[in-house]
Amino acid sequence: MKGEGVLFSSVTLEMKKNKKEKITVKKSSSEFYNILIHGIITVILCAVLVCGAFVALPTKQYTISVGDISSETIKATHDISIEDVAATLKAKQDARDKVPFVYSLDESIATNVVAELNTMLSGIDSIRSAAKSHFNEWVAERKLEDPDNALIYDMYTISDKIGDPIVFNNYFWDTVLSGVNNRFSQAEAKDLIVVSSIYIEELRSGLTRIVTDTMSQSITQEDLYPTKESVTQKINKLVLPSDLKIIAIDTCNDIITYNIIFDAEATEANKLVAENAVEPVMITYKKGQNICEEGQPVTQMQYDIIKDLGLLKETGINFSYYLGISLMVVSICVVHFIALTFFNAKAISSIKNQILVALIVLISSMAYVLTLKLSMYFITSFLCAMLISLTVDNRTAFTASMTVSAITGIYADCNFSVFIASLLGTVICITCLKRTTQRRVVIVSGLAGGLGTTVMLMVLQYYQTAAISQWHLILLYVLLGAFSSCMLSIGLLPILENAFRIITPIRMLELSNPNQAVLKRMLLEAPGTYYHSMVVGNMAEIAANAVGANGLLARIGALYHDVGKLMRPYMFKENQNDDVNPHDDIPPETSAKIITSHVKDGLHIAKKYKVSELAYDFILEHHGTTTASFFYHKAVESYGFENVNIEDYKYSGRIPSSPESAIVMMADTCEAAVRAQKKADPNAIRELINKLIDAKINDRQLDDCKLTLSQIKVIKETFFTVLSGSLHQRIEYPDMKKIDSEFGNKAVEAVTATKEAQTNM
């Protein structure tokens, strides 16, 4: 058995899981369908708004050429700037001329100079080595030829024979000097040959250090002579023979050169940078400014401006102009679609709402197109703000108002000030309309929005021009637009309410009017039910407001929840004035059928009297799926438990689907039960309220109403406050006839004496 129980629980959980998944898939499919329909509606709206932009921003085209005499004054249709090519070229050339030449350090020059120095030093070594070898060969030859004087030849030094043309003949010098590219003269070569190796090493190290240090510095052409002078001074400080210093100075003067050279590429690059940095010299024409006067020849510059404005017939339709307008409108519609889809779920919760919002946006935008010829300040975006705020909600109204304000700014020739001012005005308007129930508030909110728009327009005008001009015209047209929007809103509101079957707060207030036909009939035919509905309405409104629900909606639902009792008012206890109860003479199953049928009868009567669909949920849900317990128990007592089907005694409605409907259900039950109490004891009332509402919770009648336990606790306390106050004790007045019979003339005499005393005073 235990295993069977576990298996049953597992199967039950699996069934619940599958059901939940099916519900999720169904919900996702519904949301996708709503978004798809919303996208189609937005595309249609966008197409109409684009057409409206073409109507609001037309362009007239001309047939004209350079040199023609203009037959009329042509004005700029919008702000435009055109480049003065000649002035721009001159400015660029001036910028190039101001760029200084660029000089750069050529490191290869220093390398070459050092290399040349090393070559020179290597040449010195080569000359000295060649001279030494040649001298040694000569000595060896002489010793072979004259052995007897070999010792004498050994005593000769190279310095002794360097000037001997026989030993160092011209052939030797030509060969040696050509080997070093004739860098040195014969005399310099002789000095280098006979000098001590110590001096050669000093020359080598000194020149290498001086040349390397010198060439590591930046040397311009202007700095070359002072640099060579500095090198000469440094060489003179070396410990060298004067002849060797002269050779060193001459060599350095020959090889040292400037290493800062003119950089043609860098100079040209800088000139190009300077040239490109020059802004084109523009000639600007403001919207409405005359381009060419009537009767004046058209210049090339004027022709180019007219062409750029798309005002030439020869260029055909200015597709770029219309494409730009279209893209702006499309962008706004895309933002409108995204905002409503992801941030305003209520706006796309039904196709009805989607069409309603799109229609109001369209009406408001087209109204501005019609009034644009009067003035761009004849703003009609207030119409959108007011209608959507009243028919949908404030968040959707704000989103749609942003769309209409942006479209208005485009229709006003892309006027940013009109857009910002219109947006501010609609925000003020929506704020003033929050949960209004009076039509006069519509006018007040519209005028408040108009004043806000006017102030913003003046502020923006002062910011842009440091002056405020034509403020009286701005005020006039904005207020006219606001007032016209108010009148249109009041006129269109009933039409939209009927066409889309929506209930606004204003309409709800009208539904609560006792002069409604069905309510008047209830007062006359079922006064007990009428009084009960009024009390339930008050309880529901106070409780709904206490938990953040719609109190007015709850009160309307309560007023109409029992209209079904009009079908047989005498069958309900509150309408029975005597002690005769018809149910005493009929079977309990028949009584239960009569009592529970008032739900179905209520829908029939509501439709007959064209009561708003808003009341249908309350009629269907105020008893939920509960049981007519009195008659069920009576049937059980009469027929036996096993012979009674409880389903025959249940109401055929559905459990409450909204907080307001659930509150009406609880208020209906509590008011009827407390009213039936013979003794109005506060503790008993509180206990009864708790018991009745807890029973609804346990019966799962409140599962779909989205009320929390903490909110239900507040509702209980609210009901207790209202009901305990309505069932208060009153003083029992004495019977005046009894007083007269007991006290007789004494009372009359006392009254007469009192009157005489007052007269004498």
Side-chain angles (χ1 to χ4, degrees):
M1 292 295 290
K2 185 176 181 181
E4 291 178 358
V6 173
L7 178 62
F8 178 77
S9 299
S10 301
V11 172
T12 303
L13 289 173
E14 187 66 26
M15 290 175 64
K16 289 182 178 179
K17 181 179 179 182
N18 292 338
K19 184 178 179 181
K20 186 175 181 181
E21 289 177 353
K22 289 180 181 179
I23 293 173
T24 303
V25 171
K26 186 176 180 181
K27 184 178 179 181
S28 300
S29 176
S30 176
E31 290 178 352
F32 175 77
Y33 177 74
N34 279 340
I35 293 174
L36 179 62
I37 296 299
H38 180 45
I40 295 173
I41 293 173
T42 304
V43 169
I44 297 172
L45 173 65
C46 182
V48 179
L49 291 178
V50 168
C51 294
F54 295 162
V55 174
L57 301 169
T59 55
K60 182 180 178 181
Q61 293 183 311
Y62 303 89
T63 301
I64 200 169
S65 301
V66 177
D68 290 351
I69 303 300
S70 178
S71 59
E72 60 181 293
T73 299
I74 301 176
K75 298 183 178 182
T77 55
H78 56 268
D79 293 354
I80 188 173
S81 297
I82 188 169
E83 181 182 357
D84 187 338
V85 178
T88 301
L89 290 176
K90 184 177 183 304
K92 288 185 175 183
Q93 187 58 48
D94 292 342
R96 287 180 62 89
D97 294 341
K98 292 178 181 178
V99 174
F101 293 140
V102 177
Y103 294 89
S104 59
L105 175 65
D106 190 346
E107 296 180 354
S108 64
I109 294 177
T111 302
N112 294 336
V113 170
V114 172
E116 193 171 354
L117 173 64
N118 291 332
T119 301
M120 184 271 292
L121 294 175
S122 297
I124 293 175
D125 293 339
S126 175
I127 292 172
R128 286 172 61 83
S129 176
K132 184 176 181 180
S133 297
H134 181 74
F135 176 72
N136 290 336
E137 290 175 359
W138 178 80
V139 170
E141 289 176 357
R142 297 287 79 75
K143 288 171 68 176
L144 289 174
E145 293 176 357
D146 189 5
D148 296 336
N149 295 319
L151 293 175
I152 296 174
Y153 291 120
D154 286 337
M155 294 175 64
Y156 287 132
T157 63
I158 195 169
S159 299
D160 297 333
K161 295 298 183 176
I162 192 65
D164 188 342
I166 296 175
V167 178
F168 294 98
N169 54 29
N170 291 331
Y171 176 76
F172 169 79
W173 292 116
D174 291 341
T175 302
V176 170
L177 294 178
S178 63
V180 295
N181 296 323
N182 296 312
R183 184 180 298 277
F184 304 104
S185 65
Q186 186 175 337
E188 291 174 337
K190 290 178 180 180
D191 292 336
L192 293 171
I193 292 171
V194 299
V195 74
S196 171
S197 298
I198 297 173
Y199 291 127
I200 292 297
E201 288 303 319
E202 176 68 13
L203 176 68
R204 183 188 306 279
S205 61
L207 287 185
T208 300
R209 184 182 68 256
I210 292 171
V211 170
T212 301
D213 292 344
T214 301
M215 295 308 298
S216 65
Q217 301 171 6
S218 298
I219 305 172
T220 63
Q221 191 170 4
E222 292 78 10
D223 296 335
L224 184 58
Y225 180 77
T227 300
K228 289 183 176 182
E229 286 293 321
S230 176
V231 169
T232 299
Q233 294 175 5
K234 292 177 181 179
I235 293 174
N236 285 328
K237 293 179 181 180
L238 297 176
V239 183
L240 294 173
S242 58
D243 293 340
L244 204 56
K245 288 181 179 181
I246 293 173
I247 293 173
I249 291 170
D250 291 342
T251 299
C252 288
N253 286 336
D254 289 341
I255 64 174
I256 289 177
T257 185
Y258 52 88
N259 54 11
I260 300 298
I261 61 172
F262 172 67
D263 192 335
E265 292 183 0
T267 301
E268 182 60 26
N270 287 351
K271 287 180 179 290
L272 287 175
V273 170
E275 180 181 344
N276 293 332
V278 174
E279 295 290 338
V281 179
M282 308 299 293
I283 297 177
T284 301
Y285 283 82
K286 294 291 184 180
K287 179 182 178 181
Q289 183 177 347
N290 293 342
I291 300 174
C292 61
E293 302 285 344
E294 179 182 357
Q296 296 297 319
V298 179
T299 65
Q300 182 65 50
M301 177 72 70
Q302 293 169 340
Y303 179 83
D304 292 339
I305 294 173
I306 296 170
K307 183 178 180 181
D308 288 347
L309 286 170
L311 301 180
L312 290 179
K313 286 186 178 179
E314 65 184 45
T315 59
I317 298 174
N318 190 358
F319 287 105
S320 60
Y321 173 72
Y322 289 112
L323 178 61
I325 294 174
S326 301
L327 289 177
M328 285 190 291
V329 174
V330 169
S331 299
I332 292 169
C333 290
V334 169
V335 174
H336 172 80
F337 172 80
I338 294 173
L340 289 182
T341 302
F342 296 102
F343 303 105
N344 299 88
K346 185 175 180 180
I348 64 166
S349 60
S350 66
I351 298 177
K352 178 183 71 174
N353 277 357
Q354 296 174 18
I355 297 175
L356 176 64
V357 171
L359 180 62
I360 293 174
V361 168
L362 192 60
I363 291 173
S364 184
S365 301
M366 293 304 103
Y368 184 70
V369 173
L370 296 176
T371 60
L372 191 58
K373 291 183 179 180
L374 293 175
S375 171
M376 74 168 68
Y377 301 120
F378 202 108
I379 297 172
T380 59
S381 54
F382 310 107
L383 177 62
C384 173
M386 290 185 285
L387 284 178
I388 295 183
S389 179
L390 292 170
T391 57
V392 186
D393 59 25
N394 286 346
R395 178 177 290 187
T396 305
F398 178 70
T399 302
S401 296
M402 284 197 299
T403 301
V404 174
S405 295
I407 293 296
T408 299
I410 292 175
Y411 287 0
D413 203 2
C414 301
N415 192 307
F416 181 76
S417 298
V418 171
F419 163 59
I420 294 296
S422 173
L423 183 59
L424 174 66
T426 55
V427 170
I428 294 173
C429 188
I430 293 169
T431 304
C432 294
L433 275 176
K434 188 176 182 181
R435 290 195 176 183
T436 182
T437 56
Q438 298 179 358
R439 296 187 186 274
R440 63 182 177 84
V441 178
V442 175
I443 299 177
V444 173
S445 64
L447 295 179
L451 289 174
T453 300
T454 303
V455 172
M456 179 54 69
L457 283 170
M458 292 179 181
V459 169
L460 291 172
Q461 186 184 81
Y462 185 80
Y463 171 76
Q464 294 169 349
T465 63
I468 298 177
S469 60
Q470 298 182 332
W471 64 267
H472 53 289
L473 290 178
I474 296 175
L475 177 62
L476 173 63
Y477 283 117
V478 171
L479 290 183
L480 278 175
F483 185 74
S484 300
S485 298
C486 294
M487 294 298 101
L488 281 173
S489 296
I490 294 173
L492 290 173
L493 193 57
I495 298 174
L496 296 176
E497 287 174 342
N498 293 325
F500 290 91
R501 296 183 178 274
I502 53 179
I503 303 298
T504 64
I506 295 174
R507 177 58 179 153
M508 281 196 286
L509 195 64
E510 292 174 349
L511 287 173
S512 67
N513 191 329
N515 289 321
Q516 293 288 333
V518 69
L519 295 181
K520 290 178 70 175
R521 180 183 167 188
M522 189 187 298
L523 176 62
L524 296 174
E525 298 180 17
T529 300
Y530 179 83
Y531 175 76
H532 162 73
S533 298
M534 294 293 290
V535 176
V536 171
N538 292 333
M539 292 172 60
E541 181 176 22
I542 296 172
N545 289 333
V547 296
N550 191 329
L552 183 57
L553 175 60
R555 181 153 70 95
I556 299 303
L559 289 177
Y560 292 91
H561 79 286
D562 269 345
V563 292
K565 293 180 179 180
L566 284 173
M567 195 70 75
R568 303 174 190 87
Y570 54 89
M571 300 299 291
F572 296 90
K573 186 64 177 177
E574 67 267 21
N575 298 315
Q576 297 168 3
N577 296 325
D578 49 29
D579 294 333
V580 179
N581 189 343
H583 294 286
D584 294 338
D585 301 326
I586 57 178
E589 63 271 21
T590 304
S591 295
K593 187 175 182 181
I594 293 172
I595 294 299
T596 57
S597 65
H598 84 274
V599 172
K600 180 182 66 175
D601 295 338
L603 286 177
H604 174 73
I605 292 174
K607 291 177 181 178
K608 177 182 177 181
Y609 283 89
K610 297 181 180 179
V611 176
S612 169
E613 292 180 5
L614 188 72
Y616 291 2
D617 288 343
F618 293 90
I619 296 172
L620 273 173
E621 298 172 358
H622 75 279
H623 280 296
T625 57
T626 58
T627 305
S629 57
F630 178 83
F631 296 106
Y632 173 69
H633 288 297
K634 185 177 179 182
V636 170
E637 291 175 357
S638 301
Y639 309 129
F641 176 77
E642 65 280 358
N643 297 319
V644 178
N645 184 3
I646 193 172
E647 296 298 327
D648 295 336
Y649 295 84
K650 285 191 173 183
Y651 286 92
S652 58
R654 60 174 182 240
I655 64 175
S657 58
S658 67
E660 293 81 7
S661 182
I663 292 170
V664 170
M665 169 190 269
M666 292 184 282
D668 181 35
T669 302
C670 292
E671 196 280 335
V674 172
R675 181 65 59 184
Q677 297 297 305
K678 295 180 179 180
K679 191 174 182 180
D681 177 44
N683 292 329
I685 292 175
R686 185 187 297 275
E687 183 179 349
L688 181 59
I689 290 172
N690 291 334
K691 178 182 177 181
L692 293 171
I693 293 179
D694 290 343
K696 298 292 184 187
I697 296 173
N698 295 332
D699 197 26
R700 308 187 70 85
Q701 296 296 313
L702 306 181
D703 282 4
D704 294 344
C705 68
K706 300 178 183 178
L707 284 174
T708 64
L709 291 176
S710 60
Q711 288 176 318
I712 292 175
K713 184 178 179 181
V714 173
I715 292 169
K716 289 179 180 179
E717 195 62 33
T718 305
F719 286 174
F720 170 74
T721 302
V722 175
L723 290 174
S724 61
S726 64
L727 298 178
H728 58 274
Q729 297 287 338
R730 287 186 176 271
I731 298 173
E732 184 177 354
Y733 289 94
D735 188 348
M736 296 304 296
K737 291 183 179 180
K738 184 177 180 181
I739 293 175
D740 290 342
S741 63
E742 290 182 359
F743 295 96
N745 295 329
K746 293 182 179 180
V748 178
E749 292 174 358
V751 172
T752 303
T754 303
K755 288 183 177 180
E756 290 178 353
Q758 291 176 348
T759 303
N760 294 330
M761 289 177 65

